[in-house]
Amino acid sequence: MKLIRFGEAGKEKPGVMLSTICYDVSAYVNDYDEDFFANDGLKKLEQFVATAKLPVVNVDRYGCPVKRPSKIVCIGLNYSDHAKETGATPPPEPVIFFKATTAIVGPNDEVMIPRDSVKTDWEVELAVVIGRKASYVEEAEAMDYVAGYCLHNDISEREFQLERSGTWDKGKGCDTFAPIGPWLVTKDEVKDVHALRLWLTLNGEKMQDGSTSNLIFNVPFLVSYVSKFMTLLPGDIISTGTPAGVGLGMNPPVYLKPGDVMELGIDGLGTSKQTVIAFKK
């Protein structure tokens, strides 16, 4: 099952996509939020969809398929080729940082370059959505806590991230820096999450072309590992890292400018497209 949220920004309604047709489930589901996942919402929704006659909708805009998770936990340097291109050593343990939830936008919304930014960059990533409250989870049981997966573009301002002292977070959480979607694909629809191709183009030119088979730390390990440092709540997102091909790793580096168009995708998780705009209040 594919979960979608559609409509005007800030007023999205929940829906599902079956085959290629979108249906409105807002008469049954309030939204895809923490309460939905915590109260066995996926199982109940599946049963409802199987028997109900649902209204078809024509979607003009997709929103993030999860309503304002409590946190977006990101994993840095989780592909060895990406670590190499940035001059970093692959880490012995996962590198953890956060994206602000105010950075979340829909998968095809505009990406805004922050004020004073000169090094805004792209990163196609597999995002894991948590389905149950998770604390000190064993790796062997970690997949029981996963609801599904999304496509995520982890937009990053490299000067803010790497040259302004302190943590990476200040270069990761700017407004519009987390386009997520177009949908949440439930875990049962993904045959092997560690064999998915992920790619990104900039103005039609291929920049990133990798596979989740090259993750340094795989999905169950990450869920278990993160849960030892913080409680993961239903609806929370773990973004698992990006393969090689980011602007920072090029010689000379290439960064986003107004008018640029990014297109990205992951096998089975859909595609998204963002146009870059200059800063505006």
Side-chain angles (χ1 to χ4, degrees):
M1 189 165 57
K2 294 180 176 68
L3 276 57
I4 62 171
R5 296 175 68 247
F6 62 93
E8 181 182 346
K11 298 179 181 179
E12 294 92 346
K13 292 183 178 181
V16 295
M17 176 181 284
L18 305 176
S19 296
T20 59
I21 301 174
C22 295
Y23 300 90
D24 185 345
V25 297
S26 61
Y28 177 73
V29 175
N30 182 50
D31 214 335
Y32 298 139
D33 54 14
E34 182 181 337
D35 286 343
F36 170 82
F37 292 105
N39 290 294
D40 211 12
L42 279 178
K43 183 177 180 180
K44 294 175 182 177
L45 177 62
E46 186 176 15
Q47 294 170 344
F48 173 74
V49 168
T51 58
K53 186 174 181 179
L54 302 173
V56 175
V57 292
N58 294 315
V59 176
D60 294 323
R61 175 188 175 273
Y62 290 103
C64 174
V66 179
K67 181 182 180 182
R68 190 63 69 84
S70 81
K71 51 190 169 289
I72 304 172
V73 184
C74 297
I75 309 300
L77 305 175
N78 199 25
Y79 288 77
S80 57
D81 56 356
H82 174 57
K84 182 179 179 181
E85 73 173 346
T86 60
T89 301
E93 294 189 32
V95 174
I96 293 176
F97 62 90
F98 294 89
K99 290 185 84 80
T101 57
T102 48
I104 294 174
V105 291
N108 302 309
D109 290 348
E110 295 173 327
V111 165
M112 182 176 66
I113 295 177
R115 185 168 63 187
D116 302 324
S117 166
V118 293
K119 296 182 179 180
T120 296
D121 203 349
W122 58 84
E123 294 189 6
V124 59
E125 303 201 3
L126 168 73
V128 178
V129 180
I130 300 299
R132 297 166 51 194
K133 185 177 179 180
S135 178
Y136 293 97
V137 171
E138 295 299 325
E139 186 176 348
E141 301 171 351
M143 295 305 288
D144 295 339
Y145 293 81
V146 173
Y149 309 100
C150 299
L151 171 65
H152 173 216
N153 192 354
D154 174 19
I155 306 294
S156 309
E157 211 300 337
R158 301 302 189 186
E159 182 186 15
F160 298 177
Q161 175 191 355
L162 302 171
E163 301 173 35
R164 297 285 294 273
S165 186
T167 66
W168 288 8
D169 305 74
K170 64 180 71 173
K172 295 286 189 172
C174 304
D175 290 352
T176 75
F177 269 27
I180 300 174
W183 44 69
L184 183 160
V185 179
T186 51
K187 181 176 55 179
D188 59 292
E189 285 203 9
V190 178
K191 184 178 180 181
D192 184 356
V193 72
H194 302 112
L196 302 178
R197 177 177 174 247
L198 63 171
W199 56 269
L200 181 145
T201 66
L202 178 65
N203 301 323
E205 181 180 353
K206 184 66 63 66
M207 296 295 175
Q208 295 185 272
D209 194 353
S211 171
T212 57
S213 63
N214 294 321
L215 285 166
I216 296 173
F217 304 107
N218 67 20
V219 171
F221 181 89
L222 290 174
V223 172
S224 173
Y225 183 86
V226 174
S227 77
K228 295 175 182 178
F229 298 95
M230 67 199 75
T231 296
L232 294 166
L233 297 177
D236 280 356
I237 290 172
I238 299 176
S239 199
T240 58
T242 197
V246 301
L248 173 66
M250 297 180 181
N251 187 19
V254 175
Y255 295 115
L256 296 170
K257 60 186 184 303
D260 282 345
V261 177
M262 297 172 285
E263 296 187 66
L264 56 149
I266 300 179
D267 289 348
L269 304 187
T271 62
S272 66
K273 181 178 180 179
Q274 299 102 39
T275 300
V276 179
I277 63 171
F279 174 78
K280 61 181 180 181
K281 281 192 173 183

